[in-house]
């Protein structure tokens, strides 16, 4: 079984990998459903307050006057809170994998949920707390809540089950960091004349070292690398820049939804030092391989996406736009979903009541089918349960 085969069995590939078209379609569907939910909630409130002909007039008014967020506005507000997640995790000095997982939890949740239904400000702390547990960096919820102003333990725990539902009960996130470290260890081995290429590349370690010495200049250099020491410095410089991109742009864009972890880290290398990236690819597959040009095109497209989000912090104009969106969001939030703490309490009091969990019959059936499909796939991989003999 190859690494590709192993990755294809992961939930990240099966549930959270998309084409650009399917990703856009999913967001369109989520936005439309949330907008309808807001209008229906307002209609319910109007029906509860008014009666007779007055109610019908208010319903029509509510449906026509409410100005819901567009898909682009939803993306901007979610992206902003992803940046806030990065800042908060850095402030708390939590590990990089916690930061990266928390951001992906937030992005995954808002593929099928809208800020109009659940505000990212309320989901973000729970995403970080859940990521800490998933990445084996557990802290007591009380000590975690103390790091956030005006946040109680209830505020953190109340949306936790809601978030896990949005994540489809899958907590594993495959990051490109380990691939990056392994790739640069290989490059350093090639530099020192100790690296070995793939089985289809008939070159000795010494030949590979000499080829590296003749590489074109790095973007930050004016000439070719002359010595082994200079080559090591070049690799370390590329490593630092690539890692920075993985900690920012790779997390804030849709890269995790559209590309594999190995494609992401190779794209960062292509972005910071293209000659080095092309040399590395040459050590893995010969030029005659039909797939190689396609792979390079994929990496270039991914690098273009990462380049488009080079700066994490919003500028003055972006902050102004975010304030406008936030004011608009305050006017088009679903009034039935604003108090997550009370919703959680209601669910505990009456677990079978749909209003407490926000689940309807269709959603419950879909998730039941997903669980059954997941169990079937597990049986396909490991075989059915062995029956116990009686007697």
């Amino acid at each position: 079984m190859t690494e590709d085969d192993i990755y294809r069995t992961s939930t990240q590939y099966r549930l959270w990998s998309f084409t650009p078209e399917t990703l856009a379609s999913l967001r369109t569907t989520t936005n439309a459903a949330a907008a309808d939910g807001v209008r229906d909630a307002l209609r319910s409130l109007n029906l509860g307050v008014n009666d007779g002909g007055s109610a019908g007039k208010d319903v029509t008014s509510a449906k026509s006057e409410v100005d819901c967020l567009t898909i682009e506005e939803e993306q901007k507000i979610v992206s902003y809170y992803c940046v806030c997640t990065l800042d908060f995790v850095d402030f708390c000095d939590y590990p990089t994998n916690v930061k990266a997982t928390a951001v992906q939890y937030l992005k995954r949740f808002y593929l099928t949920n809208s800020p109009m239904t659940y505000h990212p400000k309320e989901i973000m702390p729970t995403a970080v707390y859940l990521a800490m547990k998933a990445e084996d960096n557990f802290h007591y919820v009380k000590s975690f809540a103390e790091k956030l102003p005006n946040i109680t333990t209830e505020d953190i725990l109340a949306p936790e089950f809601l978030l896990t539902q949005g994540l489809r009960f899958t907590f594993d996130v495959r990051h490109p960091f380990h691939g990056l470290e392994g790739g640069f260890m290989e490059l350093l081995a090639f530099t020192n004349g100790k690296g070995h290429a793939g089985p289809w590349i008939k070159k000795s370690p010494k030949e590979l070292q000499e080829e590296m010495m003749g590489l074109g200049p790095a973007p930050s250099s004016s000439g070719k690398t002359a010595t082994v020491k200079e080559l090591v410095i070049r690799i370390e410089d590329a490593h630092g820049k690539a890692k920075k991109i993985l900690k920012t742009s790779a997390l804030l864009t849709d890269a995790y939804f559209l590309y594999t972890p190995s494609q992401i880290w190779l794209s960062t290398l292509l972005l910071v030092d293209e000659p080095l990236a092309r040399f590395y690819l040459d050590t893995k597959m010969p030029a005659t391989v039909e797939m190689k040009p396609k792979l390079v095109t994929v990496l270039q497209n991914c690098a273009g996406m990462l380049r488009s989000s080079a700066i994490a912090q919003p500028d003055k104009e972006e902050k102004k736009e975010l304030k406008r969106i936030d004011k608009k969001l305050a006017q088009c939030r679903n009034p039935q979903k604003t108090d997550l703490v009370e919703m959680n309490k209601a669910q505990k009091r009456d677990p079978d009541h749909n209003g407490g969990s926000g689940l309807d019959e269709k959603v419950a059936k879909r998730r039941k089918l997903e669980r059954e499909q997941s169990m079937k796939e597990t049986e396909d991989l490991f075989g059915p349960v062995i029956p116990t003999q009686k007697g």
Side-chain angles (χ1 to χ4, degrees), residues 3-4 7 12 174-177 179-180 246 259-269 280-281 295 299 302:
E3 289 187 18
D4 284 343
Y7 179 71
Q12 180 160 317
R174 305 292 179 96
H175 297 294
F177 302 111
L180 176 75
L246 291 184
Y259 303 99
T260 67
S262 57
Q263 289 171 347
I264 295 172
W265 85 257
L266 281 169
S267 297
T268 62
L269 179 57
Y280 183 82
L281 289 175
L295 174 60
L299 297 182
C302 182

Side-chain angles (χ1 to χ4, degrees), residues 70-372:
T70 64
I71 301 170
E72 292 74 20
E73 288 171 336
E74 285 185 329
Q75 285 299 101
K76 287 180 181 179
I77 200 74
V78 171
S79 295
Y80 170 71
Y81 278 97
C82 287
V83 173
C84 292
T85 302
L86 298 181
D87 293 339
F88 172 65
V89 175
D90 285 339
F91 170 77
C92 296
D93 199 27
Y94 295 147
T96 299
N97 58 338
V98 171
K99 177 199 302 185
T101 297
V103 171
Q104 293 312 305
Y105 281 177
L106 207 59
K107 292 178 73 69
R108 288 179 178 184
F109 179 78
Y110 283 105
L111 280 185
T112 53
N113 294 276
S114 167
M116 292 185 286
T117 310
Y118 305 109
H119 200 294
K121 185 178 181 180
E122 299 168 350
I123 301 297
M124 185 199 79
T126 307
V128 176
Y129 183 64
L130 191 61
M132 290 166 58
K133 292 192 286 185
E135 295 294 344
D136 198 22
N137 192 65
F138 178 74
H139 288 66
Y140 287 106
V141 66
K142 185 177 180 180
S143 62
F144 176 71
E146 290 172 351
K147 298 178 183 293
L148 289 160
N150 305 318
I151 294 289
T152 66
T153 56
E154 278 190 327
D155 293 327
I156 296 169
L157 295 177
E160 190 171 37
F161 186 68
L162 179 69
L163 176 60
T164 59
Q165 286 178 323
L167 298 176
R168 302 173 73 175
F169 301 97
T170 59
F171 308 106
D172 179 40
V173 180
R174 305 292 179 96
H175 297 294
F177 302 111
H178 290 307
L180 176 75
E181 299 303 325
F184 275 89
M185 288 176 66
E186 285 187 280
L187 287 171
L188 288 173
F190 290 135
T191 303
N192 295 316
K194 299 178 181 179
H196 296 275
W200 302 279
I201 311 298
K202 305 301 181 182
K203 293 181 181 179
S204 67
K206 183 65 176 176
E207 289 174 321
L208 291 169
Q209 183 188 40
E210 292 174 353
E211 188 175 335
M212 281 194 81
M213 301 296 290
L215 288 178
S220 58
S221 175
S222 58
K224 290 185 178 182
T225 307
T227 64
V228 171
K229 184 178 180 180
E230 289 176 347
L231 192 55
V232 170
I233 293 173
R234 174 177 177 173
I235 293 172
E236 290 175 347
D237 181 61
H239 173 264
K241 291 177 179 177
K243 196 170 185 178
K244 184 177 180 180
I245 294 173
L246 291 184
K247 290 181 178 180
T248 52
S249 301
L251 299 177
L252 299 175
T253 60
D254 288 333
Y256 275 65
F257 293 137
L258 301 175
Y259 303 99
T260 67
S262 57
Q263 289 171 347
I264 295 172
W265 85 257
L266 281 169
S267 297
T268 62
L269 179 57
L270 192 70
L271 199 57
V272 300
D273 194 330
E274 184 171 343
L276 207 58
R278 290 187 176 275
F279 167 79
Y280 183 82
L281 289 175
D282 289 342
T283 65
K284 299 299 178 183
M285 57 180 69
T288 55
V289 175
E290 184 180 352
M291 183 181 66
K292 190 172 183 179
K294 296 179 181 178
L295 174 60
V296 172
T297 300
V298 169
L299 297 182
Q300 289 172 335
N301 291 338
C302 182
M305 174 179 287
L306 299 178
R307 188 186 294 111
S308 69
S309 180
I311 301 175
Q313 295 297 336
D315 57 26
K316 186 177 179 179
E317 288 299 318
E318 289 173 330
K319 287 181 179 179
K320 185 178 178 180
E321 173 69 0
L322 286 167
K323 286 182 180 179
R324 181 194 67 79
I325 296 173
D326 197 49
K327 287 181 180 179
K328 182 178 178 180
L329 177 58
Q331 301 301 317
C332 65
R333 285 199 64 188
N334 189 327
Q336 296 177 344
K337 309 286 186 179
T338 54
D339 193 342
L340 297 183
V341 173
E342 186 55 38
M343 282 175 55
N344 186 51
K345 290 179 180 178
Q347 169 64 9
K348 289 178 179 178
R349 289 194 300 267
D350 186 8
D352 295 325
H353 182 58
N354 288 340
S357 64
L359 291 177
D360 58 25
E361 189 177 352
K362 289 183 179 179
V363 174
K365 287 182 178 179
R366 175 170 60 81
R367 288 179 179 161
K368 181 181 178 181
L369 289 173
E370 288 173 357
R371 287 194 298 271
E372 291 174 351

